[in-house]
């Protein structure tokens, strides 16, 4: 099969030559056909065309947000850094053929493969191998960036193993190396060891290029406190030829495997101060600041960004804004079922936030849960944000994935969720032997299409579905719902909500036997360890309720308005234009997740959600 043209600009359809015949396809048919195939035209480099995913959310217009998977046929390759050259070419490095830390016997087959795209990530060249493992170490790529002078700097690790019995660096070895290219990655210097002075270093997702040309590479390292990591930074003033180390060491406490401060990311704020976000185990990312270009750093403290034990990644855009991508799922250690991206001018307040990929919940809480995690960011020549990340399961089936996101989609002030594109964007529980998944049924009444959520009669536990909405810091959310049986729930939160728990949320509306009950969750710390790592998070426990002053009839169409003022920590709820009831909300990042739950044989129906931001 030869791809004659993969351009989809200006209304042109892709053309594919099959057995000597040229066939035209529309966008959708082309993406379905081309997923995972390699074109091998005579005299040309093979082109790997990623398969397009259905978008999350209320399906953005074409060009606003698309996702592609890089399916090379390997079992579980790992996605790595993506960067943009001065001519607009995208470079993407992956670790093939699967995560090499799973077995020492795989060290020698691990490799770092770099691919090029000249069409914004729609198709990719054949792999150029940058590094290979050996019998004594595996390799993994973590940072790739072109400096102001055009030098390309690539940072990676050589790993000879982690001692799980003691968790001590003296018995573990994973060192950082770097290499440079002066011809856009065609040829590379011999790899040199990064002079961190540490034996075992963790994963890193970015390095920052300051406005004055300095490169700052934050890193984490295993300490002599059993299994605990700490953070520092390296910096270079000569395009990555030589490196110096910060005098600061940042810690976040904690205990157990992969605990402490780890996997930091750095961005330069408009005022020249450097902002660092750090992975930790307290349900939030931690942060630190530098006022001397990365030489020293302030004591790390908890930030306002809710996050599981997972890393974030930041990128300063040409506009001066900072893009931040992370996992906002906090109710358990390693919860990584949602990836969001936000924009901020100052590191304090987000201008917008959207979920760009997610996975469903499993029917068995003890089962391995698929993930979307480890985002790497770059800004394309056109001004879009490209995010490389991983989707699947590290050991069984992982696929490097690329999201191409238009900045204006993140900043949209108005958004409508309805059923015109079906149940797009909803997190559900996968059907399984426990029958925990909600029964989702379409209902057409009076020319209105509704989605009804009920329990499986063979499972009496609360069940439901969850989705992301644009981050509401100041604005109104309008719901059109019905509840014909007790109990139905409408819950709003500042992080990914559980489809099983009706008692956790920043704001809850409960429908029961013709009455409506309102409640705001109260802050409460909860410990939820997994295996050997200590993990706590901040939940919002729903306890006391207020009865809404007007009842409703079974099957009544309910128009519910939630006006939220984050600065005042206040929400006003009114139903069908009735009295507005004020609720005091905890200090949160904002409202950006909605759950529809059913319990006690009840149900809830949804027609639409409309968000209007101020």
């Amino acid at each position: 099969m030869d791809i004659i043209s993969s351009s989809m600009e200006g209304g042109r359809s892709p053309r594919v030559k099959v057995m000597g015949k040229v066939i035209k396809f529309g966008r959708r048919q082309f993406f379905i056909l081309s997923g995972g195939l390699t074109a091998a035209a005579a005299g040309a480099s093979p082109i790997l065309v990623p398969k397009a995913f259905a978008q999350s959310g209320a399906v953005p217009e074409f060009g606003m947000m698309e996702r592609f998977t890089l399916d090379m046929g390997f079992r579980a390759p790992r996605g790595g850094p993506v960067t943009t050259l001065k001519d607009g070419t995208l470079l993407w490095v992956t670790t093939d053929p699967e995560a090499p830390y799973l077995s020492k016997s795989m060290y020698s087959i691990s490799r770092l493969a770099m691919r090029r795209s000249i069409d914004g990530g729609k198709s990719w060249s054949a792999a150029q191998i940058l590094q290979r493992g050996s019998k004594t170490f595996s390799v993994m790529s973590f940072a790739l960036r072109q400096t102001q002078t055009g030098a390309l700097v690539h940072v990676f690790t050589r790993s000879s193993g982690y001692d799980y019995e003691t968790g001590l660096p003296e018995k573990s070895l994973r060192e950082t190396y770097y290499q440079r290219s002066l011809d856009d990655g065609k040829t590379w210097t011999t790899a040199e060891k990064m002079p961190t002075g540490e034996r075992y270093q963790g994963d890193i997702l970015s390095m920052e290029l300051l406005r004055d040309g300095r490169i700052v590479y934050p890193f984490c390292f295993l300490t002599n406190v059993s299994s605990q990591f700490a953070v520092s930074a390296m910096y270079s003033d000569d395009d990555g030829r030589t490196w110096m180390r910060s005098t600061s060491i940042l810690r976040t406490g904690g205990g157990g495997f992969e605990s402490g401060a780890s996997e930091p990311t750095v961005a330069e704020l408009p005022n020249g101060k450097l902002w660092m976000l750090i992975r930790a185990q307290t349900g939030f990312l931690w942060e630190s600041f530098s006022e001397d270009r990365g030489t020293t750093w302030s004591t790390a403290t908890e930030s306002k960004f809710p996050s599981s034990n997972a890393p974030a990644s930041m990128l300063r855009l040409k506009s001066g804004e900072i893009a931040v991508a992370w996992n906002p799922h906090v109710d358990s250690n390693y919860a990584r079922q949602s990836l969001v991206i936000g924009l901020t001018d100052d590191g304090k307040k987000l201008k917008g936030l959207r979920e760009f990929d997610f996975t469903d919940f499993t029917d068995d809480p003890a089962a391995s849960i698929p993930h979307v995690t480890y985002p790497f960011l770059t800004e394309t020549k056109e001004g879009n944000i490209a995010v490389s990340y991983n989707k699947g399961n590290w050991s069984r089936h992982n696929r490097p994935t690329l999201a191409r996101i238009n900045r204006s989609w993140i900043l949209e002030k108005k958004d409508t969720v309805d059923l015109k594109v079906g149940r797009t964007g909803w997190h559900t529980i996968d059907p399984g032997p426990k029958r925990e998944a909600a029964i989702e049924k379409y209902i057409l009444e009076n020319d209105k299409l509704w989605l009804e959520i009920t329990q499986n009669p063979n499972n009496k536990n609360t069940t439901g579905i969850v989705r992301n909405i644009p981050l509401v810091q100041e604005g109104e959310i309008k719901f059109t719902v019905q509840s014909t049986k007790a109990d139905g729930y409408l819950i709003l939160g500042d992080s990914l909500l559980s489809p099983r728990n009706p008692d956790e949320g920043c704001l809850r509306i409960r429908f029961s036997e013709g009455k409506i009950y309102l409640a705001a969750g109260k802050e409460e710390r909860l410990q939820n360890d997994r295996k050997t790592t200590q993990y706590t998070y901040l939940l919002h426990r729903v306890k006391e309720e207020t009865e809404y002053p007007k009842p409703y009839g079974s099957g009544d169409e309910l128009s519910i308005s939630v006006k939220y003022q984050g600065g005042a920590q206040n929400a006003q709820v009114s139903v069908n234009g009735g009295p507005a009831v004020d609720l005091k909300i905890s200090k949160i990042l904002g409202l950006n997740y909605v759950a529809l739950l059913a319990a006690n044989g009840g149900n809830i129906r949804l027609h639409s959600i409309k968000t209007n931001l101020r």
Side-chain angles (χ1 to χ4, degrees), residues 328-331 361 427 465-467 490-501 504-507 540 592-597:
H329 189 189
V330 302
D331 68 354
F361 290 77
H427 296 250
I465 60 177
V466 183
R467 69 157 295 131
L490 179 59
I491 302 177
L492 289 153
D494 66 337
S495 58
L496 182 61
L497 296 163
S498 167
R500 300 182 177 94
N501 189 353
E504 184 175 341
C506 298
L507 180 105
H540 296 87
N592 64 330
Y593 280 91
V594 174
L596 302 176
L597 307 182

Side-chain angles (χ1 to χ4, degrees), residues 569-585:
Q569 296 177 238
N570 183 72
Q572 282 189 341
V573 180
S574 64
V575 181
N576 290 343
V581 176
D582 287 281
L583 295 169
K584 187 68 174 179
I585 305 297

Side-chain angles (χ1 to χ4, degrees), residues 23-100:
I23 303 174
K24 292 183 179 181
F25 295 91
R27 289 191 181 102
R28 186 173 299 276
Q29 289 89 346
F30 173 74
F31 279 132
I32 293 172
L33 176 65
S34 64
L37 296 180
T38 301
S45 297
I47 302 294
L48 188 68
V49 183
K51 179 180 177 183
F53 278 106
Q55 287 96 343
S56 67
V59 186
E61 294 179 6
F62 192 79
M64 297 299 283
M65 197 281 281
E66 297 88 34
R67 300 198 303 260
F68 308 92
T69 179
L70 192 62
D71 191 342
M72 299 163 284
F74 299 139
R75 180 179 179 87
R78 179 161 171 160
V82 60
T83 197
T84 306
L85 299 179
K86 293 182 182 297
D87 66 0
T89 299
L90 292 180
L91 302 181
W92 191 5
V93 183
T94 59
T95 298
D96 304 339
E98 53 186 288

Side-chain angles (χ1 to χ4, degrees), residues 86-402:
K86 293 182 182 297
D87 66 0
T89 299
L90 292 180
L91 302 181
W92 191 5
V93 183
T94 59
T95 298
D96 304 339
E98 53 186 288
Y101 47 75
L102 298 177
S103 170
K104 290 185 178 181
S105 61
M106 294 173 55
Y107 285 0
S108 60
I109 67 171
S110 70
R111 64 180 194 174
L112 305 183
M114 185 177 75
R115 297 172 176 83
R116 297 172 183 265
S117 175
I118 58 174
D119 56 11
K122 298 174 187 175
S123 60
W124 295 87
S125 70
Q128 174 187 354
I129 307 303
L130 301 184
Q131 294 289 328
R132 292 184 183 275
S134 70
K135 290 183 179 180
T136 58
F137 63 80
S138 64
V139 289
M140 191 171 292
S141 178
F142 289 125
L144 185 67
R145 193 77 186 263
Q146 190 169 44
T147 68
Q148 293 174 356
T149 64
L152 196 61
V153 182
H154 175 225
V155 182
F156 64 97
T157 58
R158 290 177 178 172
S159 176
S160 297
Y162 174 85
D163 188 75
Y164 287 90
E165 184 174 345
T166 67
L168 295 175
E170 291 81 4
K171 296 185 177 182
S172 307
L173 184 63
R174 193 189 199 212
E175 296 176 304
T176 300
Y177 286 77
Y178 66 97
Q179 58 183 158
R180 301 169 69 249
S181 173
L182 300 179
D183 56 8
D184 290 345
K186 297 179 180 65
T187 60
W188 293 85
T189 62
T190 302
E192 297 183 53
K193 187 187 297 186
M194 184 79 77
T196 63
E198 305 296 342
R199 282 183 55 86
Y200 192 95
Q201 290 148 66
D203 296 4
I204 302 298
L205 278 66
S206 68
M207 60 182 171
E208 174 66 306
L209 180 63
L210 307 190
R211 293 178 179 87
D212 63 9
R214 171 174 282 193
I215 305 171
V216 176
Y217 179 73
F219 71 99
C220 61
F221 59 94
L222 190 61
T223 70
N224 57 9
V225 178
S226 182
S227 299
Q228 191 174 112
F229 281 81
V231 161
S232 190
M234 303 295 294
Y235 55 89
S236 172
D237 291 318
D238 57 7
D239 277 0
R241 293 183 186 90
T242 61
W243 295 83
M244 298 287 289
R245 176 171 166 167
S246 166
T247 58
S248 301
I249 295 178
L250 306 177
R251 304 179 187 273
T252 61
F257 174 67
E258 288 193 333
S259 63
S262 64
E263 299 177 343
T265 181
V266 168
E268 184 180 20
L269 296 169
N271 61 6
K273 183 185 291 188
L274 303 190
W275 177 36
M276 180 188 292
L277 288 175
I278 302 168
R279 169 182 166 180
Q281 298 82 46
T282 66
F284 289 90
L285 295 167
W286 284 49
E287 63 185 359
S288 175
F289 297 90
S290 173
E291 297 186 0
D292 54 13
R293 302 164 63 235
T295 304
T296 61
W297 295 84
S298 66
T299 301
T301 57
E302 213 170 61
S303 79
K304 63 173 65 176
F305 294 90
S307 174
S308 68
N309 187 10
S313 185
M314 294 193 287
L315 177 71
R316 176 170 50 83
L317 306 178
K318 298 184 186 76
S319 64
E321 298 166 312
I322 296 172
V324 188
W326 82 98
N327 294 105
H329 189 189
V330 302
D331 68 354
S332 65
N333 200 7
Y334 300 101
R336 300 171 179 181
Q337 292 178 259
S338 174
L339 257 181
V340 296
I341 186 166
L343 294 175
T344 178
D345 288 327
D346 55 10
K348 298 177 182 178
K349 184 176 180 180
L350 289 174
K351 300 166 65 174
L353 180 70
R354 302 297 288 265
E355 179 183 79
F356 63 90
D357 208 350
F358 65 93
T359 68
D360 288 334
F361 290 77
T362 178
D363 188 60
D364 180 3
S368 177
I369 302 172
H371 61 224
V372 282
T373 193
Y374 282 79
F376 300 80
L377 310 181
T378 190
E379 185 175 11
T380 70
K381 188 176 182 180
E382 298 77 20
N384 293 321
I385 303 168
V387 187
S388 157
Y389 60 100
N390 291 273
K391 185 168 186 174
N393 181 290
W394 288 133
S395 61
R396 293 180 177 85
H397 184 87
N398 185 73
R399 290 293 176 264
T401 306
L402 185 84

